[in-house]
Amino acid sequence: MHKKINQPLKESKNDLNNKVNVILIGAAGHQGKEYFKLLKEKYNFEALIDSDFETLNKVYDSNEYLLLQDIKDLKQNIDFEIAIICLPHYLHKEVTLPLISLKKTIIKEKPLAINSLDIKDYINTMKKCSNSKLFTIVQRNFNPSFTYAKNNLNKIGKIYNFSYEYELNFENETMGWRGEFNKSFGGVLIDMGYHILDIIFKFFNSLISASAVNSFCYNNMKKEGLEDSINIIMLFKNDISGVVNLNRHSHIKKEIFTIRGEKGVIEILPSQYTIYDRKGNIILNYKNTKTQEEMKISMFDYYIKNK
């Protein structure tokens, strides 16, 4: 049952300022609030939607924004081009499919889907609604440290090996929907690894094989089948091998992507990348001067430009 909406429909402001009209689903959650704050001056938010209607009304001014409890409450005369989805994994499909049917552009938090059947449903629906587009948010593609380093791979010669270490320093056990398999559908691999595998596949094509070993910091996570740590061994075309190590419960937060070639090594951090020769001399060092906010805005601008 959905709470009755008594608010009057607000007219679109798009004709006045030529901003893109957006709706935000999951607006009362942490990620939704972050994106709203980041984008509110850049885009028109025609509706803010969250099943937690009480929190939604506490966070946002109902006199300024149309607040809804469900996408089913959207009226036909609400004009929007873009839907941003910030929901737990298990809720994505039930929201995404109707928006595809409306022929809208959807920008959603990871993952694209929780299984191959959901992907087929997306594809089949999009074939019927050819004007719809679906993007999954992956932020490292818009970080200059990664994009510029990729352009300089030739400086280290033929690549033969890589490693990607990504650790977080969460002190306590994972709770909430991420701590339940039937809501998250995976542990660190789907949560942290989604971003890391995306950037690895941007650097190296044609995966030949992969294997992995899970481990668990907490018994409850083991019972749920939600790994706290995972080690992945990968083999790509041209004899490029590598390892990916992901962990939620380290003593420090750390992220480093190391690529080894016959002439040297590239070390990539979100804040910079450095190229070394085989003797350890620095050949090139680049420091990323963009803020997290600037990179996220670049990401949304790209998705919306290509809507």
Side-chain angles (χ1 to χ4, degrees):
M1 179 176 287
H2 306 295
K3 187 173 288 188
K4 184 178 179 182
I5 306 300
N6 296 316
Q7 298 166 272
L9 294 177
K10 294 176 173 56
E11 294 183 1
S12 169
K13 302 181 283 296
N14 196 47
D15 292 337
L16 298 176
N17 56 25
N18 292 320
K19 292 182 179 179
V20 174
N21 289 346
V22 173
I23 65 170
L24 178 60
I25 304 163
H30 170 78
Q31 197 67 72
K33 289 186 288 187
E34 179 187 328
Y35 288 156
F36 174 80
K37 182 179 179 181
L38 182 73
L39 302 172
K40 65 180 180 179
E41 303 300 328
K42 195 171 184 65
Y43 306 120
N44 287 329
F45 282 89
E46 292 296 308
L48 303 173
I49 305 168
D50 203 290
S51 59
D52 186 352
F53 200 63
E54 182 179 352
T55 300
L56 189 71
N57 275 275
K58 291 178 180 178
V59 174
Y60 302 99
D61 183 357
S62 61
N63 293 315
E64 186 173 0
Y65 298 101
L66 177 62
L67 307 182
L68 303 175
Q69 192 173 17
D70 196 293
I71 63 167
K72 295 176 182 176
D73 298 320
L74 282 170
K75 307 299 182 182
Q76 289 184 347
N77 57 341
I78 296 178
D79 175 30
F80 71 97
E81 302 163 71
I82 308 290
I84 300 174
I85 300 175
C86 304
L87 293 172
H89 301 167
Y90 72 104
L91 296 174
H92 283 204
K93 183 179 178 181
E94 66 184 62
V95 171
T96 302
L97 280 178
L99 291 168
I100 294 174
S101 298
L102 291 174
K103 300 182 179 181
K104 302 299 182 180
T105 293
I106 300 133
I107 304 172
K108 64 190 288 296
E109 278 291 324
K110 61 166 178 61
L112 171 62
I114 56 174
N115 55 51
S116 59
L117 293 177
D118 285 359
I119 291 176
K120 289 179 182 178
D121 287 342
Y122 288 158
I123 291 172
N124 290 335
T125 306
M126 293 186 76
K127 285 180 178 177
K128 300 173 186 176
C129 308
S130 57
N131 291 332
S132 182
K133 290 188 177 181
L134 178 60
F135 298 99
T136 304
I137 292 173
V138 279
Q139 297 179 14
R140 283 161 183 77
N141 290 316
F142 302 90
N143 183 321
S145 292
F146 292 94
T147 55
Y148 294 169
K150 186 175 184 294
N151 293 335
N152 281 296
L153 287 178
N154 62 310
K155 295 186 183 300
I156 62 170
K158 183 181 183 299
I159 296 167
Y160 65 92
N161 181 261
F162 70 88
S163 59
Y164 206 126
E165 301 277 344
Y166 184 28
E167 298 184 338
L168 299 178
N169 57 339
F170 294 153
E171 184 177 354
N172 300 312
E173 180 179 349
T174 302
M175 305 298 289
W177 64 267
R178 283 188 172 88
E180 300 178 42
F181 185 85
N182 63 352
K183 292 183 178 180
S184 63
F185 297 94
V188 293
L189 182 59
I190 198 171
D191 201 19
M192 298 163 57
Y194 200 96
H195 300 287
I196 305 313
L197 294 179
D198 175 73
I199 204 68
I200 287 173
F201 284 119
K202 290 294 190 302
F203 275 71
F204 312 117
N205 297 318
S206 303
L207 178 69
I208 296 173
S209 65
S211 61
V213 178
N214 296 340
S215 54
F216 305 89
C217 182
Y218 296 97
N219 287 332
N220 287 336
M221 298 300 283
K222 187 174 183 178
K223 290 177 183 177
E224 287 288 332
L226 299 173
E227 73 280 356
D228 292 305
S229 180
I230 190 169
N231 307 103
I232 309 168
I233 299 175
M234 310 176 78
L235 177 63
F236 286 85
K237 186 179 177 181
N238 298 323
D239 296 324
I240 300 173
S241 65
V243 294
V244 179
N245 298 315
L246 307 173
N247 193 306
R248 274 187 178 139
H249 302 292
S250 185
H251 63 300
I252 57 170
K253 182 177 181 179
K254 178 176 67 175
E255 181 175 352
I256 180 168
F257 185 16
T258 305
I259 304 172
R260 302 170 183 91
E262 61 182 357
K263 296 181 181 179
V265 171
I266 296 181
E267 286 188 345
I268 310 170
L269 287 71
S271 60
Q272 66 177 41
Y273 78 87
T274 306
I275 301 179
Y276 300 91
D277 65 16
R278 291 285 296 276
K279 295 181 179 180
N281 300 310
I282 294 177
I283 304 300
L284 188 154
N285 179 254
Y286 167 83
K287 294 191 181 298
N288 178 16
T289 59
K290 285 194 173 184
T291 65
Q292 287 289 331
E293 290 75 18
E294 288 172 331
M295 289 185 286
K296 289 175 183 177
I297 288 174
S298 296
M299 174 185 69
F300 279 105
D301 283 347
Y302 173 84
Y303 291 141
I304 290 174
K305 181 181 178 181
N306 289 277
K307 64 184 173 59

